[in-house]
Amino acid sequence: MNKTALRNIIFIWLAWVIIIPSYQWIVTTRLSIKHPDLAVAWSKTETLPSSNNGKIYLLEPFMNRQVAWDSEYYVGIAVGGYNDPAAGTAFNPKTGQAVIKNYSFFPLYPYVMRIFALPLKLFKLNPIAAASLAGVIVAVLGTLVGLIALWDITRPYFDEETSERAIFYALIFPTSFFFAMVYTEGLFIGLAFSTLALSKRGHWAWASVLAFFAAWTRAQGAALVVPLITFWLMQINWRESIKPQLTWQWFLRSALALLPIAAYLIWRYSALGKGWAELQEFLFGRGLLSVGRSIGDFFNVVKYASTQGGGDAQIYFAIEFGSILLALVASLWLIRRDPAVALFSLTVILLSVFSGSAQSMARYMLVVPALYIFLAQLGKNKTFDRAWTVFSILLLGMEAALFAVDMWVG
């Protein structure tokens, strides 16, 4: 990467890091948003002014607009560990036993938060405030790394201006504010997109190590086995004699390509992973390729939006379904140009859509690299570029404001 391109990316990212939380402060200071939120069937009772009473990790005033929903558990794990009783418990109806809710989430992000929070305590921040600030720092630094990797991924087939446009579109996507919240998306794209970029450059060991850690950040990290295997197979020239190409280095790369699956299995069958799977099943209604449950839930949310949720639900699910459709089209478009990146994108979409619930799709699509690559291609047309920029930023502003006041946006 040349110095000019790197400088441009860093300055765009830095401006975005300043603008997002500043906007959240401005809009929530200037406007009052009516509660409750009817976006989904359960949000009516969870988005009242009193809904966070007793949730100590969501009540700290410092960085409060960047902390909501799942942030409670990331901050809680960073401060009190997985067995922190302040996280609350849920009772498994099958076993009748209580399970601490912190087990619903992967360990890497909150543990990295804990490390980053240590020096912040020198500024007289209390543990929750320090962990919240650390969570944002980790998220935005991960985002910067992910953006640089995305630029590198696109360079073989885009000119510099189009590659930078992919970065810009990633930062203005309607749910991109999650990259600057106490959520895992920022760290994840730093690890996942870097895995793809390093693989394309032939740095197999580093790519596989990052993929290993990505699988301890989000469940979709295991999907990195797909592009790693694809890159591995692409090392063979299938039109020539295969036997001379089957070197020990080639076989070693196959073992490295399986590291994200190994990481996921180590996690899944640990005490932490068993608790995660248990909570996903009975509390969140999610599971691996829960096709029937997913299809049923998509029908249920369409019915809810058309009969009970009104405008709140209709707008929410329009963004959800629109994000899925756009990500799917983008991935299919990319399949011939960059099969490994496209297959990773398709795998993430598949795992997300068939996870058992129709919610949070617009946030899950954030980690689909094909989305930004496709938009950058379309953005070569100046009319599309201006129109998409205005449309996307307006939706981003709405979504970021709703999150800041604890409304449901995914």
Side-chain angles (χ1 to χ4, degrees):
M1 171 179 285
N2 63 62
K3 292 182 179 180
T4 301
L6 179 60
R7 184 176 63 249
N8 290 344
I9 292 173
I10 291 175
F11 283 147
I12 293 170
W13 165 83
L14 184 59
W16 173 86
V17 168
I18 296 170
I19 289 168
I20 291 294
S22 298
Y23 170 80
Q24 290 180 305
W25 177 81
I26 291 168
V27 74
T28 56
T29 302
R30 179 67 178 86
L31 297 177
S32 296
I33 296 177
K34 183 181 178 181
H35 291 73
D37 187 5
L38 303 180
V40 291
W42 53 265
S43 61
K44 182 177 181 179
T45 58
E46 294 295 327
T47 53
L48 297 168
S50 59
S51 293
N52 285 340
N53 288 353
K55 299 179 180 179
I56 64 171
Y57 297 117
L58 296 180
L59 297 176
E60 165 60 41
F62 184 70
M63 305 295 293
N64 189 258
R65 293 173 179 84
Q66 288 72 53
V67 175
W69 303 107
D70 293 354
S71 306
E72 175 184 11
Y73 304 107
Y74 298 125
V75 176
I77 295 168
V79 173
Y82 272 91
N83 290 318
D84 180 10
T89 58
F91 285 89
N92 187 333
K94 292 183 179 180
T95 65
Q97 296 180 339
V99 184
I100 296 177
K101 292 181 181 179
N102 278 352
Y103 283 87
S104 301
F105 300 92
F106 281 66
L108 186 69
Y109 178 56
Y111 284 168
V112 174
M113 284 171 58
R114 180 180 294 183
I115 295 170
F116 272 69
L118 291 175
L120 297 177
K121 295 176 182 178
L122 298 175
F123 296 94
K124 306 301 182 182
L125 294 175
N126 66 58
I128 296 176
S132 299
L133 178 55
V136 172
I137 292 172
V138 172
V140 297
L141 289 178
T143 299
L144 175 60
V145 174
L147 295 177
I148 294 171
L150 178 62
W151 187 92
D152 194 62
I153 289 168
T154 62
R155 289 302 293 130
Y157 43 83
F158 280 163
D159 58 37
E160 196 164 295
E161 180 182 357
T162 307
S163 294
E164 289 185 7
R165 188 181 299 115
I167 304 305
F168 177 64
Y169 285 163
L171 290 176
I172 66 166
F173 195 77
T175 49
S176 64
F177 70 93
F178 277 110
F179 291 143
M181 303 296 110
V182 182
Y183 265 72
T184 60
E185 278 71 21
L187 176 60
F188 185 80
I189 68 163
L191 294 168
F193 290 8
S194 294
T195 295
L196 298 172
L198 289 171
S199 296
K200 290 171 75 74
R201 288 180 171 271
H203 300 301
W204 299 95
W206 282 112
S208 298
V209 168
L210 293 181
F212 184 95
F213 288 115
W216 283 357
T217 306
R218 295 176 61 87
Q220 293 96 329
L224 286 165
V225 72
V226 174
L228 288 175
I229 289 291
T230 303
F231 282 125
W232 172 64
L233 292 174
M234 289 170 63
Q235 298 302 301
I236 294 291
N237 186 337
W238 300 98
R239 296 179 179 180
E240 298 181 0
S241 177
I242 295 176
K243 188 175 180 180
Q245 301 180 66
L246 303 182
T247 63
W248 68 267
Q249 294 98 330
W250 187 78
F251 284 105
L252 176 61
R253 289 167 186 166
S254 70
L256 291 172
L258 298 175
L259 277 182
I261 286 292
Y264 176 81
L265 293 175
I266 291 170
W267 151 257
R268 174 62 182 81
Y269 291 101
S270 69
L272 297 180
K274 290 177 181 178
W276 170 80
E278 186 178 2
L279 284 161
Q280 292 299 313
E281 175 65 28
F282 80 83
L283 184 61
F284 296 101
R286 294 191 185 273
L288 179 63
L289 296 179
S290 301
V291 178
R293 180 189 292 174
S294 300
I295 293 173
D297 197 54
F298 273 93
F299 278 110
N300 289 338
V301 299
V302 170
K303 181 179 179 181
Y304 169 77
S306 60
T307 59
Q308 301 177 54
D312 289 2
Q314 290 161 16
I315 296 299
Y316 172 74
F317 283 109
I319 294 172
E320 295 282 277
F321 297 162
S323 298
I324 295 171
L325 180 60
L326 183 58
L328 182 60
V329 171
S331 302
L332 294 175
W333 169 83
L334 189 62
I335 198 79
R336 292 183 63 184
R337 179 168 289 188
D338 199 335
V341 175
L343 288 172
F344 170 68
S345 300
L346 285 169
T347 304
V348 169
I349 295 169
L350 180 70
L351 293 175
S352 301
V353 169
F354 294 117
S355 64
S357 173
Q359 300 173 30
S360 304
M361 293 296 121
R363 174 165 63 87
Y364 291 171
M365 296 304 107
L366 279 177
V367 303
V368 174
L371 184 60
Y372 313 120
I373 298 171
F374 178 63
L375 287 171
Q377 174 69 22
L378 295 179
K380 290 181 177 181
N381 180 288
K382 291 185 178 181
T383 301
F384 176 87
D385 177 58
R386 272 58 165 184
W388 175 257
T389 298
V390 172
F391 178 70
S392 189
I393 289 177
L394 288 173
L395 286 182
L396 170 60
M398 180 188 72
E399 297 276 278
L402 289 171
F403 181 91
V405 293
D406 300 318
M407 304 292 262
W408 179 250
V409 290

